[in-house]
Amino acid sequence: MPHGSLVVITGLAAEARVAEGPGICAIATGADPLRLERELERALRDGARAVLSFGIAAGLEGGHETGTIVIPDEVIAGSDRYATDPHWSERMRVALTVADARPLAGVDAPLLHPADKVRLHESTGAVAADMESHHAARITLRTGRPFAALRVIADPAQRTIPTAAAVGMRPDGGVNLIAVLSSLLRDPSQLPALARVAFDARVAIQTLARCRRELGTAFEGH
């Protein structure tokens, strides 16, 4: 990795492909915190200048539909709170004109049920949640590098996520089709909900791509 690169942490390989570009090291972690820690620490040792958590997220508050952009002031995980870089975050918000600045929650397992999302919103005030931002923030901020997050809501707070979707990620961030099909064979009634999740994810990824284009140099923090 070139010294001084921006590191972009994602869960999905599709998110990493959206983020890629000159001077950017995009790492798809497959929602594996150990892989994330290992790869990010290596990048920081190699001279990464800043870290961005980038990708889709679960909505936690009613009224935020698929495609809602969140550029939070802080990331919350349990009793831990991690402030994002205020200048970088504000530059991105100004460039996009529409982004929620309220907190992002970090979780270590997918939120499958609306009740779980509502409880997390009520306990944290967060409007969205993902499985990478809190780990990336913790590791980055202890080195003194700038950290920010840009997430787009895929599944709104009222959406139930089927088991087939939750088991569908490979360690490299790709889609584990065998696991998805196996889950569907055990319970074919998941198919309509899975199709809806896939549609929401496509919309959110398209929004991510638009953000990437519109942000210009603000995406990179300078």
Side-chain angles (χ1 to χ4, degrees):
M1 183 192 77
H3 186 88
S5 293
L6 168 69
V7 174
V8 179
I9 295 295
T10 75
L12 299 170
E15 298 162 338
R17 287 193 292 271
V18 170
E20 288 172 347
I24 295 172
C25 175
I27 303 173
T29 64
D32 180 344
L34 295 179
R35 173 178 166 83
L36 187 156
E37 182 170 359
R38 182 175 65 251
E39 295 295 332
L40 181 52
E41 287 183 342
R42 179 183 296 120
L44 291 166
R45 286 196 304 269
D46 289 345
R49 59 174 174 78
V51 176
L52 177 68
S53 175
F54 181 75
I56 63 177
L60 303 181
E61 183 182 39
H64 292 284
E65 296 304 317
T66 301
T68 299
I69 302 165
V70 181
I71 302 176
D73 282 329
E74 66 177 347
V75 176
I76 301 173
S79 61
D80 297 321
R81 291 176 175 261
Y82 305 101
T84 60
D85 185 272
H87 303 295
W88 186 6
S89 298
E90 184 60 18
R91 280 199 68 201
M92 290 193 290
R93 289 189 209 110
V94 169
L96 295 175
T97 69
V98 180
D100 199 314
R102 287 179 294 167
L104 182 68
V107 295
D108 293 324
L111 299 171
L112 304 184
H113 305 290
D116 297 329
K117 299 176 186 181
V118 171
R119 279 194 293 268
L120 187 57
H121 170 65
E122 291 175 345
S123 64
T124 63
V127 294
D130 72 80
M131 297 175 63
E132 295 83 35
S133 292
H134 58 310
H135 296 299
R138 171 178 52 83
I139 295 165
T140 303
L141 293 178
R142 73 189 182 198
T143 71
R145 281 14 178 257
F147 169 81
L150 191 164
R151 291 280 165 163
V152 174
I153 290 175
D155 52 298
Q158 69 273 17
R159 187 89 72 238
T160 297
I161 304 301
T163 302
V167 300
M169 191 186 302
R170 296 199 312 253
D172 63 357
V175 177
N176 187 338
L177 289 175
I178 293 176
V180 172
L181 292 173
S182 296
S183 182
L184 283 174
L185 285 171
R186 288 191 296 271
D187 181 7
S189 68
Q190 298 180 89
L191 186 57
L194 182 63
R196 181 68 206 211
V197 167
F199 177 81
D200 288 343
R202 282 197 298 274
V203 170
I205 292 287
Q206 289 167 357
T207 303
L208 280 175
R210 177 175 60 79
C211 291
R212 177 73 174 87
R213 292 191 301 270
E214 294 180 359
L215 281 171
T217 58
F219 181 80
E220 302 174 36
H222 60 72

